[in-house]
Amino acid sequence: MDSDAWKIIHIPDKPTCPPEHQPTWKVYASVIKPKFANTIVRQLCKIAPLEDLRHVKRVRKKILQDHGETQLTVILCLAPEHNDHLNDLPLDVQKLVDPYELSPFITEVCKYAAVSKEEWEEQCKIWPTSFHPPTYNIDGISGFSEDDTQSIFKFMRLVIDLAVSEHKPIVNAAVIVDPSVRRIIASETDQVYPSSTPRDMTTTETSPFNETGDDRVTNASSQIFLNGIIEKLNGSLSDVACLNPWQWCLQPHETEKCSQWHPLRHASIVAIESSSARDRYLFPNSAESVSPDHVLPSDADIPAKKQKTSSHSPNVQKNCSEEAPRDPPMERPYLCTGYDIFLLWEPCTMCAMALVHQRIKRIFYAFPNPTAGGLGSVHRLQGEKSLNHHYAVFRVLLPGDAHNALNHGLKHAVS
Amino acid sequence: MEPVKEDHCEEESHKYMSLALHQAKLALEALEVPVGCVILEDGKVIASGRNRTNETRNATRHAEMEAVDQLVGEWRKNGLSPSQIAEKFSKCVLYVTCEPCIMCASALSFLGIKEVYYGCANDKFGGCGSILSLHLGNSQPSDIPEEAQRGKGYKCKGGIMADEAVSLFKCFYEQGNPSAPKPHRPVVQRERT
């Protein structure tokens, strides 16, 4: 791997592990007589459906080497994880043993559906499963275009700028973006400590991202740029809210500056608040909330500044080809549906859940959060099936030096 | 006498949960998802909150967050230091009509709240046992004593007047959520009496 380059990696719904070490469940299984197969499977689907194991084939078919006969083995039901006894077979299943001449034994099947052909091949060595190549509907999981990649790197640089430049100790920063027009919706930093000066919301609220053709992220330019953050990462990380969410009360009390701090004002929470303030400001008519597809009748409500600046932005080219002279009409968003958020650190579980609530579409972060991370480090909300909304999570890997510096810094902060 | 004490406790908790349910009803009247809460210090209600997600267009404005912000704002105004505010939270008890979601359950852990009592469980988002168990605190306790204290988590008990909390949800979903994205169930005009 080229450690000098920026890179985007997808953080999947389940922990990654080598294909040959996939997590498994224990199940009861039994060889069955082919003539009973249909009846048994039908009954088992009723009394012991395998809801969470849809990828696992209920019946395994094996051609026996010696006589060329077909042997069928069926999964009866899940087995207790910490118990190898056969007497825990549920009563309903137990009732099938005698009539169908079953001889139950315990075996293992893979817990999660395979996400790659390699995983699937390994799974089938344990017990056959089905494999459906991913058909994701969120952009980027199967790769980004060169244009999107450059845009992602630029927003990440903006996040680094925010986190580093405006404060003495480094903090976390959050930038919410509408990727369809590459417009910044909100950009904020942690406000847990009094020293984290709150930013003037009116200036950040609707500012478009100023992209120019000649500042593409090259290895050389990013190295100069990253020197700033490397220095910060070598210092204390104790003010990064999501990394140290229980530490807020250890700060010294500075009466003259105590007006704004709040133990829960992590960057993501502040950015969500700022984006909802923008929403209320741009679409003051609450009646519109009944029809989110409604578009503004004219561009009159949109600050002139934005239209002017955005006409210089690269996306104008795309618009021209579609014969749209200006920005596409502004639609009243439903929360942050369709938006991306860029963060320097993986959000803590509180922030990660806040981003579920606010319907963020994609999350990009640079550094993992081993103390309280909600997107893979401690918890993994993108893999919690019960939640009503799911986002895609990506990590933006900065060039090698930044990571070395971070590891050094983390030892200081977390120890 | 054990039973008498139990009865007394139940009576107490019903009293406070009724106040939380009153907040939830205010949310329902304002066409918000009906969740409400109260925060107590020494048996006295010091803050209350209800869901305001539709009004603010900020889906994180849950009842718990509203009540917590009220307290932080007030204590900060009175010149309390961060460690004094932490000390205050460590004596606070929350009554909320529905199990705190993963976000609120984490937040309550960060704040170092003492106890949480809730009405119905939250099968989709619950952070106090249903989906995650964030009330158990920091999985990697800190060696800084003050921080470790708050990382310990909080006592949590559910099922207090759960039926009342659930019936408010039923009312809400029958009338339809006016802010849900399309397609959603049609909003039924409620008759106000």
Side-chain angles (χ1 to χ4, degrees), chain A residues 140-198:
Chain A
I141 293 178
S142 44
F144 293 95
S145 70
E146 178 58 22
D147 242 26
D148 288 341
T149 306
Q150 287 298 323
S151 158
I152 288 160
F153 292 163
K154 277 174 193 160
F155 285 120
M156 191 51 83
R157 289 178 63 165
L158 182 70
V159 164
I160 295 171
D161 267 345
L162 275 172
V164 174
S165 64
E166 298 207 3
H167 309 275
K168 278 182 184 161
I170 193 167
V171 293
N172 206 359
V175 174
I176 297 177
V177 172
D178 177 353
S180 65
V181 287
R182 294 184 184 157
R183 178 187 286 130
I184 292 174
I185 302 297
S187 62
E188 299 291 344
T189 53
D190 290 337
Q191 293 180 3
V192 169
Y193 300 103
S195 54
S196 336
T197 334

Side-chain angles (χ1 to χ4, degrees), chain B residues 106-177:
Chain B
S106 300
L108 294 165
S109 164
F110 300 162
L111 295 174
I113 202 156
K114 188 182 170 203
E115 290 165 16
V116 171
Y117 298 91
Y118 64 82
C120 58
N122 186 339
D123 296 337
K124 285 198 169 134
F125 313 118
C128 293
S130 289
I131 307 299
L132 298 180
S133 294
L134 298 153
H135 60 293
L136 301 178
N138 190 351
S139 52
Q140 300 134 309
S142 163
D143 40 15
I144 304 167
E146 280 169 284
E147 194 197 358
Q149 187 56 38
R150 262 166 312 110
K152 267 186 188 163
Y154 45 89
K155 184 185 154 189
C156 194
K157 187 176 175 243
I160 298 156
M161 301 177 81
D163 293 346
E164 282 87 339
V166 170
S167 70
L168 288 177
F169 281 125
K170 280 185 185 149
C171 284
F172 178 76
Y173 289 107
E174 273 160 26
Q175 85 190 3
N177 182 354

Side-chain angles (χ1 to χ4, degrees), chain B residues 52-192:
Chain B
R52 284 183 194 275
T53 54
N54 289 338
E55 175 196 325
T56 56
R57 302 182 208 174
N58 179 339
T60 70
R61 298 313 300 167
H62 290 184
E64 298 93 320
M65 294 299 203
E66 289 282 322
V68 163
D69 283 5
Q70 199 181 315
L71 288 178
V72 172
E74 197 180 301
W75 290 335
R76 219 171 38 194
K77 211 177 101 202
N78 295 341
L80 265 63
S81 71
S83 63
Q84 284 170 318
I85 289 183
E87 174 79 22
K88 282 271 200 187
F89 273 121
S90 71
K91 291 173 183 154
C92 283
V93 174
L94 170 79
Y95 277 82
V96 57
T97 56
C98 179
E99 178 187 352
C101 76
I102 289 169
M103 172 186 74
C104 292
S106 300
L108 294 165
S109 164
F110 300 162
L111 295 174
I113 202 156
K114 188 182 170 203
E115 290 165 16
V116 171
Y117 298 91
Y118 64 82
C120 58
N122 186 339
D123 296 337
K124 285 198 169 134
F125 313 118
C128 293
S130 289
I131 307 299
L132 298 180
S133 294
L134 298 153
H135 60 293
L136 301 178
N138 190 351
S139 52
Q140 300 134 309
S142 163
D143 40 15
I144 304 167
E146 280 169 284
E147 194 197 358
Q149 187 56 38
R150 262 166 312 110
K152 267 186 188 163
Y154 45 89
K155 184 185 154 189
C156 194
K157 187 176 175 243
I160 298 156
M161 301 177 81
D163 293 346
E164 282 87 339
V166 170
S167 70
L168 288 177
F169 281 125
K170 280 185 185 149
C171 284
F172 178 76
Y173 289 107
E174 273 160 26
Q175 85 190 3
N177 182 354
S179 288
K182 281 183 174 179
H184 63 82
R185 275 169 292 230
V187 177
V188 181
Q189 284 299 320
R190 270 164 25 99
E191 281 179 42
R192 290 184 187 254

